[in-house]
Structure formats: structure tokens, C-alpha cells
Amino acid sequence: MNQTKQKALVYVVEDSIASGALYASQLEQAGYECKHFTDGYSALVAIKEVMPDVIVQDVCLPDISGLEVLQFVKKQPTPANVVMITSNSSIDVAVEAMRLGGFDFLEKPFSGQRLVSAVESASTQKESLPQNVPQEESHSASGFIGESLAMQTVFRLLDSAARSKACVFITGESGTGKEVCAQTLHDASPRNKGPFIAINCAAIPADLFESEFFGHVKGAFSGALSDRKGAVEVANGGTLFLDELCEMELNLQAKLLRFLQTGVFNRVGSSEVLHSNVRLVCATNRSPVVEVAEGRFREDLYYRLNVIPVKLPPLRERGNDILLLARHVLKQKSESNAKQFIGFSPEVEKLFCNYDWPGNIRELQNVIENTVVINEGEVIELDMLPSSFGVDSTASVKTASTLPANNPTQAGALMGVHDIEPLWQIEKRAIESAIEICDDNIPLAAAYLGVSASTIYRKIKGWS
């Protein structure tokens, strides 16, 4: 038993005398110093006098809410990590606790091993948490950049989530940067010295997924020629990122839920019980609520994973972030391809800002890389962009400028081109009509149009 663990002070806040005594006894046997409180106010008095290393507390207390205790702790100069205890009936409260800065939560009933593991993680990560590090550095270091309101909200969530062990569920369209988001979270957390292991659930055959996830022993199945560690074991002490989680089959979801609840697992073909301390981050481009409603995703697993939800906005809703990202990508691609590009022409910048980017950041990267590789110069011009990009928005301009007006046949064609109504005008008329029908309720109009309210606000701003 190491000295740090022997000296760690844990406050157990549990109104049940029997349960509190049991938790304290299990932690003391593991080498911790414990104090048991049966109500919130007694715990607050003790916290004011001496801040412990870890607080284990029930969400439901007889005098005040466990959330109030948590919020008080988090306002102190050197807050303890808080592990929440919850029952099935109060799972929503526990989820809210994680959003407020809770480190982890234990769902009743739980084993003594799970309790000790949670406290050990909370104690260890509190000791290793870097002090006085500007939070913004972690985002820029990972290339996860943005100044829009939507991204500032994401950054604030990541800053809070980085200090806890709680599961993070990232949603967003394809190409919005979900893996970069997970990597940023890992780099900003006390686990940054540990491994970051990413698994694409859609890319692994169902019959091999359990082996990839938990590992296997020699002879477990045909082709298992030697023992092999799975992702859960390899990621011990770090972060495990599960991309496209909704592609996982239901029977595998049950095994993942068991691991989350107990922290233990078995390799395929082995009865040996192993333990792994990992931080789980998940992502999907589907709507998990819809997947649950249609029976393709377990509801209990969804609530266990969706502790800290992070929704990445599509690029079209990030305003000037489009140009920030474009310049960042241009600098990277120019350097890696030994080119001299340093910026974009005003026409290209305007086109980028008005384009909807259905492929999001991934499409932006591909467009810029294609342009940089094929062309030479310092400024990206319109005619340098790939022919497949923005062709509808530029073709009519080029056609109109090259047709001679003194040719009757071509002049007739020119008149036909001019008679075409620009797409943005059609779109503007449709949006304004929807807003009028909905009595100026923009969120409601957005719902009927099938877009987000922020998209409409951005369009209106662009018209003025």
C-alpha cells in the first residue's frame, strides 16, 4: 500500500447508518482514512474545516440535496473529487451531478471493489491534476479551435469534463471532429500520460468485436494463436474512445454495460477476472434517443454513457469559425506540401462562408488540400478550387461574363441565364414565409423547415 493512499482522507456522506458504516469499513480496509456523515449540513461544516481528498456521497440526503453539497465543494479553492451514489430512481439527478463537476457515480447496488476503484481513481487524479494551466491551451494544442458561441459552449463542457472520470457522449454530423474532440478531452485530463485508444465500432465485424474490446486467450476460437490484450486492457489508466457506438450489437452493449458498472471483465475464452481503470468517451452521428426509441440501443446503457453530453455543431452553424479553420488547415497543408500559400482571396472567403459544408470539417480539409497540391501561389483564388466544389455558385457568373452580347443566339441564352433566380433569394423567401406563418417564432419555423434555429439566424444576418 503506497503512502499517498494510506494518508488519503475520504468523507462518506450517507444517511443510512448501516450503508455508510459499510462503505467506510471497505475504504479503511483499503488503506484510507474515513469519516462518516449522515446529513448534508454536518458534511458542509467538516468540509469548511478540512477539505478531504475525496467525498463519497449519496445524491438523496435528508436535509439538503446532494447537488448542493457538490456545488459548495466545487466553489472552494482546492475542491475534492466527489463520487456520487445513486439508485435507479435518481439516475437523472446523478447525471446532472456529473454535469456540475462530479467525478464519478456509483449506482446501487455496487461492490466494495467498485467503490474502492472509484475512490482510488478520484484520489489519484486529484493529485496529478495540473495547476494553473490555461484551459484554452489544450484546445489549440489539439487543433480543436473556434470562437463561435456554439464552440465556446463545447469548450466549457470539455473543461469541466476533463477533471472528472464521468463518461462523455459526443454527438454530431459526420466530419464535425468527434475524434479530435475526444483526443482534446484526453489531453486536457489528468489521464494525458496514459494511452488514448480509439475503436470504430462500425469497422469491426460483430463476431470479432468482443475479442477486440476485451481480448482473448490462446485457443479461444479458430485463429486465436496467442493471448491478446483487448482495447479495455490496453487503455488502462487512459481513455477509450468508441466511435460510431450505435453500430454496436445489443448483446455486446450488455457486456459493455456490465464493464461500466463493475470495472471488471474477462478475456474471451478465460474465466480470469481482470480490472481496468479507463475513461470512456463515445461518439455517434446518429440520434441516440431515436436509436433507443426504436430498440436498437439499450436505454440503460444510454443513460450510463450520456453523463456529459457534448453536441458538436455542424460547420455551417459556426460562423467565422469557417475562416479560422480554413486558415489553420491552409497553413498545415502548405507546410506539409512545401507550398507558399498564406491566405484566401475575398471571393473565396465569401464563398466559404456562404457554403453549407455538408461534409463539415472533413470536406473543408479535402477542398483545401486538393487546391494546395494542384496549384502554386500565395493566395487561393476562385479558379483554383476543385471543379466539383461550388460549381453551381460560380458557373452562371463565368458564363455570363464570357458570352458576347452582339450574337443574337448567344444573347438569347444570356437572357435565359439572367432570368434564373438565385438560390439564396428562393431560400430567403421560403424562410421569411415560414417565420410569418409561425407568428415570428423562429425556433418553430426552423423545426418545420428541418434546420436549426441558429442556421436561420445566420441566414438573416447574412441578408442584412
Side-chain angles (χ1 to χ4, degrees):
M1 195 72 60
N2 61 62
Q3 293 299 312
T4 301
K5 187 173 179 179
Q6 288 176 343
K7 294 179 181 178
L9 175 62
V10 181
Y11 286 173
V12 176
V13 188
E14 166 63 70
D15 60 328
S16 167
I17 296 176
S19 297
L22 174 62
Y23 303 152
S25 174
Q26 291 169 332
L27 291 170
E28 285 169 351
Q29 289 178 15
Y32 293 96
E33 179 185 353
C34 291
K35 292 185 178 181
H36 176 208
F37 305 92
T38 56
D39 61 83
Y41 285 122
S42 298
L44 289 179
V45 171
I47 290 167
K48 288 179 181 178
E49 294 178 355
V50 178
M51 180 65 72
D53 295 282
V54 180
I55 298 174
V56 178
Q57 71 162 57
D58 200 336
V59 167
C60 300
L61 299 173
D63 49 356
I64 60 175
S65 166
L67 297 182
E68 293 182 67
V69 178
L70 171 62
Q71 289 176 305
F72 174 81
V73 171
K74 290 304 172 184
K75 290 178 181 178
Q76 305 310 304
T78 55
N81 280 331
V82 181
V83 177
M84 309 296 291
I85 298 174
T86 180
S87 61
N88 285 330
S89 60
S90 57
I91 187 69
D92 291 339
V93 181
V95 169
E96 178 63 21
M98 296 302 100
R99 293 173 182 167
L100 293 174
F103 179 80
D104 197 359
F105 75 86
L106 304 174
E107 186 177 352
K108 296 178 182 178
F110 51 86
S111 65
Q113 183 183 21
R114 178 74 177 92
L115 171 65
V116 172
S117 173
V119 171
E120 182 178 14
S121 297
S123 177
T124 302
Q125 293 196 27
K126 183 175 185 296
E127 294 160 7
S128 60
L129 188 64
Q131 301 295 321
N132 301 321
V133 177
Q135 294 174 338
E136 290 79 2
E137 290 181 8
S138 62
H139 307 311
S140 59
S142 302
F144 201 48
I145 58 177
E147 296 178 352
S148 63
L149 180 60
M151 289 306 296
Q152 290 307 312
T153 301
V154 170
F155 292 154
R156 283 194 296 272
L157 272 174
L158 295 182
D159 289 333
S160 298
R163 296 188 289 271
S164 79
K165 188 194 171 184
C167 295
V168 175
F169 206 140
I170 307 170
T171 56
E173 297 177 6
S174 294
T176 49
K178 293 187 286 292
E179 184 167 349
V180 175
C181 179
Q183 181 72 62
T184 299
L185 181 64
H186 172 76
D187 293 342
S189 76
R191 294 174 172 264
N192 56 14
K193 301 265 192 266
F196 176 82
I197 305 298
I199 291 183
N200 187 330
C201 299
I204 301 174
D207 55 343
L208 295 179
F209 191 89
E210 187 175 359
S211 170
E212 289 290 330
F213 199 74
F214 296 117
H216 62 256
V217 295
K218 182 179 179 180
F221 51 83
S222 177
L225 303 179
S226 62
D227 291 356
R228 183 177 185 276
K229 292 182 178 181
V232 167
E233 196 171 351
V234 174
N236 188 24
T239 301
L240 178 60
F241 174 57
L242 300 180
D243 198 7
E244 304 302 342
L245 181 71
C246 289
E247 301 290 340
M248 185 185 295
E249 293 193 352
L250 285 169
N251 65 318
L252 297 173
Q253 292 176 26
K255 294 177 180 178
L256 173 59
L257 178 62
R258 176 180 176 273
F259 169 70
L260 287 171
Q261 292 175 330
T262 64
V264 299
F265 65 98
N266 308 91
R267 292 181 183 175
V268 177
S270 172
S271 59
E272 180 184 3
V273 177
L274 302 175
H275 176 267
S276 182
N277 174 18
V278 300
R279 196 314 172 50
L280 201 63
V281 180
C282 306
T284 181
N285 60 3
R286 297 185 186 181
S287 169
V289 175
V290 172
E291 295 300 301
V292 169
E294 297 186 358
R296 292 189 293 267
F297 199 81
R298 292 179 62 109
E299 185 175 14
D300 49 2
L301 177 60
Y302 169 66
Y303 284 116
R304 189 63 182 81
L305 292 173
N306 195 45
V307 177
I308 303 180
V310 176
K311 181 173 177 57
L312 293 183
L315 188 55
R316 62 183 172 274
E317 296 181 4
R318 292 180 55 179
N320 287 335
D321 283 357
I322 295 173
L323 297 182
L324 280 178
L325 286 162
R327 290 164 187 150
H328 177 76
V329 173
L330 180 64
K331 186 175 183 294
Q332 286 184 325
K333 301 304 180 184
S334 293
E335 289 176 354
S336 63
N337 289 280
K339 295 298 181 76
Q340 305 300 315
F341 288 107
I342 58 174
F344 303 91
S345 71
E347 293 78 14
V348 171
E349 291 188 349
K350 183 177 180 181
L351 178 61
F352 279 9
C353 289
N354 290 330
Y355 184 58
D356 270 349
W357 298 104
N360 292 296
I361 300 173
R362 188 177 295 122
E363 181 182 6
L364 176 68
Q365 291 173 326
N366 289 343
V367 167
I368 293 176
E369 183 171 22
N370 177 286
T371 303
V372 167
V373 169
I374 294 175
N375 297 279
E376 299 289 344
E378 293 186 350
V379 176
I380 301 293
E381 302 287 351
L382 270 179
D383 57 4
M384 294 181 180
L385 297 176
S387 58
S388 58
F389 174 75
V391 63
D392 293 335
S393 60
T394 58
S396 61
V397 175
K398 292 179 180 178
T399 302
S401 63
T402 55
L403 286 175
N406 60 352
N407 185 309
T409 304
Q410 291 177 326
L414 184 59
M415 287 298 295
V417 169
H418 279 304
D419 287 339
I420 296 175
E421 186 176 10
L423 185 60
W424 71 268
Q425 290 183 2
I426 299 173
E427 181 182 63
K428 179 183 179 185
R429 194 164 58 251
I431 290 174
E432 289 176 339
S433 175
I435 293 173
E436 183 179 355
I437 292 171
C438 295
D439 296 325
D440 294 331
N441 186 329
I442 291 180
L444 181 61
Y448 279 113
L449 288 169
V451 298
S452 67
S454 58
T455 295
I456 292 185
Y457 286 122
R458 179 174 61 85
K459 297 287 186 182
I460 293 173
K461 184 179 178 181
W463 298 333
S464 58

